[in-house]
Amino acid sequence: MSVLVYIDYVPATRQPRQESITIVDVAREIASKLGTDVEGVLVNSVVVATKMRDMKILPRIYNIRLKNVPEGTYIPTLFGDALVEFCKKRNIEVLLFPATQRCREIAPYVAAKLDTGLVADVAELYVDERKEVIAVKPSFGENILAHIYIPDRKPKMFTVRASARKTPPPQYEQCELVHEEVSVPDSGKIEYVKSGQVYDPDIDILPERHDIVIGVGAGLSKESIDLIKAIAKKLGIGVGATKKITDKGILSTKFLIGESGKIIRPRIYVALGISGAPQHMTGVKDYEMLIAVNVDDRAPILNYSTHFYKSDANELVRKIAELVLR
Amino acid sequence: MLNIAIITKTVVPIVSTVKVDERTGSLIREGVPTTLNPWDYAAIELALKLREEYGGKVVAISMAPPFARDVLEDIIGMGVDEAYLVSDRAFAGSDTLATSYILAAAIRYVMPDFDIVLAGQEAADSLTSHVPAQVASFLSVPYLYYIVNIVKIDLVNRIVNVERILEDEDRIEEFKVKLPAVFSVYKKNIILPIRVSRKIEAKINRKVKMITNRELNLEQSRIGLSGSPTRVSKVVNYTLEPRRPAKVEKNSEEFAKWLLEIVQEKLRERQ
């Protein structure tokens, strides 16, 4: 019996995703509460398997090798079928995926093939007194946290938002690397052609990279948000956004904090023009200071704030810009 | 000619009105206003565009309680050829796995010779993104998520080149896919407004058709609550002990300076 962690990586660069590392922290916790082993698995990359082995954060990593498929080729059904074959041969209690877009693509396919349950985009996992693994998932925005579990089936599958977790320290003297070949059905129906990097000029102000984050909400104009990005770049801090802002396309979903976005643990969160809806606030945890600026001094954000300043946030942004960008 | 099936979902626009049946842990959707999942517009738009270019037929399929008929009528108004409401008491309580099983059966029933199944990237209320991959699994066809562009279609050999975007990797990938296949469409790929002008006329001429389990004849063990591996153990309100923030009384320039000092002090601490 084991808790298995799926290791996601960028096929073209063979670089493990950071979330594949931080999710090990979640997996170790669940495994120790269940009294089981924890292991890692990835599909078809010796390079990634070796990088992960050298971190010594897992006692054992399986690299599922695919015959006649070069490293760096990714196809969802191919990776999914490989995992399915691997899981069928083992007694896996829990299978965890980091909630990356690639994993959100593979995991439901694997769950259907294994005829088991999957809970998406889990904010938190815990083990209850009956030793049942329970996923906490914010649902339907306002006020609802659903606790979901998977009785009677194996493996119990979860995609977990783990970006706010810390990188687990090395814990094992040795990490055993096991290469295992599986044969999967012909994937000739779909072929990988090529991939390209899209340059993202905002990479250095993504919220999970910083412990000081400015959150922007519907109370800010697009012009103000552009100024905030420039201010954040200059100061070396992060920017986060509410769903209203990412849905409008003013910022990409990489900035989204809360439900369906990221969970962050900043030391300081500056909430500008954010009303404080629960679906956003569930993504901001363990802060030392939350400084809110809002025209409405009865907005729910007050319930979360350590400091409140009543003002049109746009006006304040202009003032800060004058000080920082001049 | 392309035969395209769109799977759509009706969602709850006012999220706070949703209640949960505490006995079953299922959502009580009756009496709650519903609307088309906003991310499904991208799938509908792409389907109509493909039909315009290559000919063929577009059907929309949605699994929902009977009151969702209005939403499907609107989709007919947007220009799809046929709309099907998959609805039966036996389907109630289905999680994503059971829903996908039912939808796959409905697609086979309505359009056995489908070339492409299209879906929105995710549902705006439940945000799982499970259904397209699971439908593909039950239909035994290839699938891809986050499609932004159909690069080319080879109608003779039934091969399509598609581009998709992985926002969290800043990466565009191209794949060559043999049809039939399932695609989910990247959610910000919407070119609105859709052809709503044909709405009223189309609604009069074409009615939403109903599919129940009499037509699909699915085993009870695969559908509804008994076909669903996941269970909701409890639903709790997200509550917190409200804080009493210190109200900062300064003019905006003073406040901006104060704020910057705090930020810069923490930045210095870090170094």
Side-chain angles (χ1 to χ4, degrees):
Chain A
M1 210 167 77
S2 72
V3 172
L4 188 66
V5 189
Y6 178 77
I7 297 161
D8 187 30
Y9 63 92
V10 181
T13 60
R14 268 148 273 174
Q15 196 60 39
R17 294 292 305 272
Q18 181 59 25
E19 293 89 334
S20 302
I21 296 162
T22 49
I23 197 177
V24 172
D25 194 39
V26 182
R28 279 188 192 172
E29 203 177 290
I30 296 301
S32 87
K33 287 192 181 135
L34 291 175
T36 65
D37 295 338
V38 55
E39 296 172 329
V41 65
L42 63 116
V43 179
N44 215 33
S45 176
V46 179
V47 178
V48 176
T50 309
K51 280 180 188 165
M52 290 297 290
R53 180 195 65 192
D54 294 345
M55 296 186 73
K56 295 180 183 169
I57 54 174
L58 287 162
R60 191 174 302 105
I61 292 171
Y62 294 94
N63 175 32
I64 309 175
R65 301 189 83 157
L66 299 169
K67 246 188 211 161
N68 308 323
V69 179
E71 267 198 33
T73 296
Y74 167 85
I75 292 165
T77 43
L78 186 69
F79 274 46
D81 286 331
L83 263 178
V84 168
E85 290 312 312
F86 179 85
C87 291
K88 274 184 185 165
K89 284 188 274 179
R90 288 181 171 75
N91 182 12
I92 296 158
E93 180 73 15
V94 177
L95 175 54
L96 301 180
F97 294 80
T100 62
Q101 286 184 303
R102 237 180 251 285
C103 288
R104 300 283 303 272
E105 178 176 56
I106 309 167
Y109 176 84
V110 174
K113 289 282 178 206
L114 292 172
D115 194 25
T116 187
L118 169 66
V119 187
D121 214 15
V122 172
E124 206 184 312
L125 275 180
Y126 69 95
V127 177
D128 75 359
E129 62 285 352
R130 299 163 304 158
K131 295 249 168 185
E132 190 63 72
V133 181
I134 314 237
V136 184
K137 177 176 164 56
S139 292
F140 291 81
E142 308 270 343
N143 298 329
I144 293 181
L145 285 176
H147 292 233
I148 306 172
Y149 67 110
I150 304 161
D152 314 322
R153 308 226 189 176
K154 275 185 190 178
K156 303 165 195 288
M157 292 178 52
F158 306 92
T159 58
V160 182
R161 276 190 276 162
S163 57
R165 287 285 188 144
K166 47 185 196 303
T167 302
Q171 191 176 316
Y172 305 93
E173 293 265 305
Q174 294 260 322
C175 170
E176 184 190 357
L177 200 53
V178 183
H179 298 283
E180 184 166 313
E181 202 155 280
V182 302
S183 58
V184 294
D186 177 32
S187 68
K189 288 175 178 170
I190 173 163
E191 232 176 87
Y192 170 78
V193 180
K194 63 178 183 209
S195 86
Q197 187 78 28
V198 187
Y199 173 66
D200 180 7
D202 297 331
I203 193 117
D204 50 342
I205 54 167
L206 292 180
E208 71 276 20
R209 291 164 179 254
H210 298 278
D211 52 10
I212 301 171
V213 176
I214 302 181
V216 297
L220 285 182
S221 65
K222 186 181 180 303
E223 291 67 38
S224 295
I225 292 172
D226 286 342
L227 281 176
I228 287 294
K229 280 165 72 177
I231 292 164
K233 275 181 195 169
K234 185 87 181 277
L235 294 175
I237 61 179
V239 176
T242 63
K243 203 153 194 303
K244 279 194 180 139
I245 299 300
T246 58
D247 277 357
K248 278 188 206 151
I250 298 174
L251 290 174
S252 87
T253 52
K254 280 185 285 188
F255 289 95
L256 179 60
I257 306 290
E259 190 185 14
S260 85
K262 289 167 178 168
I263 300 172
I264 56 168
R265 294 186 156 81
R267 294 179 67 191
I268 304 178
Y269 193 67
V270 183
L272 301 180
I274 291 177
S275 66
Q279 62 261 52
H280 176 69
M281 298 316 297
T282 52
V284 191
K285 299 214 187 279
D286 305 337
Y287 46 83
E288 289 165 24
M289 275 177 109
L290 193 154
I291 304 164
V293 180
N294 208 300
V295 276
D296 179 4
D297 60 7
R298 282 172 307 174
I301 190 73
L302 266 86
N303 294 333
Y304 302 88
S305 306
T306 58
H307 298 75
F308 181 80
Y309 184 63
K310 184 177 174 174
S311 162
D312 175 3
N314 292 293
E315 194 195 317
L316 183 73
V317 170
R318 281 192 293 276
K319 289 277 180 239
I320 300 173
E322 278 169 25
L323 295 169
V324 177
L325 301 176
R326 67 182 169 198
Chain B
M1 296 270 282
L2 287 171
N3 285 330
I4 302 171
I6 311 165
I7 41 180
T8 67
K9 193 181 181 200
T10 50
V11 297
V12 181
I14 309 156
V15 283
S16 56
T17 56
V18 178
K19 291 277 185 302
V20 171
D21 183 332
E22 285 177 7
R23 193 173 48 84
T24 61
S26 299
L27 296 159
I28 304 167
R29 289 176 167 274
E30 273 159 69
V32 175
T34 56
T35 179
L36 177 64
N37 176 33
W39 309 130
D40 290 353
Y41 283 101
I44 296 170
E45 183 67 42
L46 179 60
L48 296 177
K49 211 176 108 195
L50 288 172
R51 186 186 62 188
E52 215 165 87
E53 214 164 311
Y54 301 97
K57 189 172 156 186
V58 176
V59 302
I61 302 170
S62 188
M63 185 175 113
F67 60 76
R69 186 181 286 271
D70 288 359
V71 174
L72 278 164
E73 278 182 4
D74 289 348
I75 297 176
I76 290 180
M78 293 170 204
V80 309
D81 297 296
E82 290 165 17
Y84 293 85
L85 178 63
V86 184
S87 196
D88 198 305
R89 287 225 165 265
F91 301 155
S94 295
D95 71 1
T96 54
L97 188 73
T99 300
S100 303
Y101 186 77
I102 296 162
L103 281 172
I107 292 165
R108 277 203 206 95
Y109 178 80
V110 170
M111 197 179 243
D113 54 346
F114 72 90
D115 294 300
I116 296 175
V117 174
L118 291 178
Q121 180 176 327
E122 63 188 14
D125 53 5
S126 54
L127 307 162
T128 70
S129 317
H130 288 178
V131 168
Q134 300 196 320
V135 164
S137 161
F138 290 124
L139 292 172
S140 302
V141 299
Y143 73 98
L144 271 176
Y145 277 16
Y146 325 117
I147 297 299
V148 284
N149 186 24
I150 304 274
V151 183
K152 61 178 175 194
I153 298 185
D154 173 351
L155 281 181
V156 180
N157 298 307
R158 314 308 277 179
I159 287 170
V160 46
N161 280 47
V162 295
E163 262 177 1
R164 62 91 160 261
I165 186 158
L166 290 165
E167 232 183 8
D168 65 350
E169 289 182 19
D170 293 311
R171 194 161 281 281
I172 294 210
E173 295 181 327
E174 186 179 335
F175 292 86
K176 202 166 151 182
V177 186
K178 178 96 171 88
L179 300 179
V182 176
F183 300 123
S184 88
V185 184
Y186 177 61
K187 63 185 188 180
K188 288 199 222 112
N189 224 30
I190 313 173
I191 318 146
L192 287 172
I194 292 186
R195 305 143 177 80
V196 278
S197 56
R198 288 163 57 187
K199 197 168 178 170
I200 296 157
E201 181 209 344
K203 269 185 169 175
I204 294 166
N205 294 332
R206 295 197 292 273
K207 293 267 180 282
V208 174
K209 291 166 196 156
M210 185 95 149
I211 300 175
T212 67
N213 202 32
R214 264 205 306 276
E215 288 79 32
L216 300 182
N217 201 19
L218 303 173
E219 264 178 69
Q220 188 61 52
S221 66
R222 300 302 304 264
I223 60 177
L225 211 53
S226 50
S228 301
T230 58
R231 287 283 178 277
V232 176
S233 73
K234 63 176 173 183
V235 174
V236 292
N237 287 328
Y238 180 75
T239 49
L240 80 167
E241 213 36 47
R243 289 174 186 251
R244 289 211 188 79
K247 300 216 171 171
V248 187
E249 307 283 348
K250 292 180 192 300
N251 71 35
S252 60
E253 182 149 2
E254 284 164 10
F255 181 77
K257 281 183 180 156
W258 173 80
L259 185 62
L260 276 174
E261 268 165 34
I262 291 174
V263 167
Q264 273 156 349
E265 191 188 305
K266 290 279 178 192
L267 285 172
R268 272 194 300 274
E269 268 176 41
R270 198 171 53 187
Q271 279 157 9

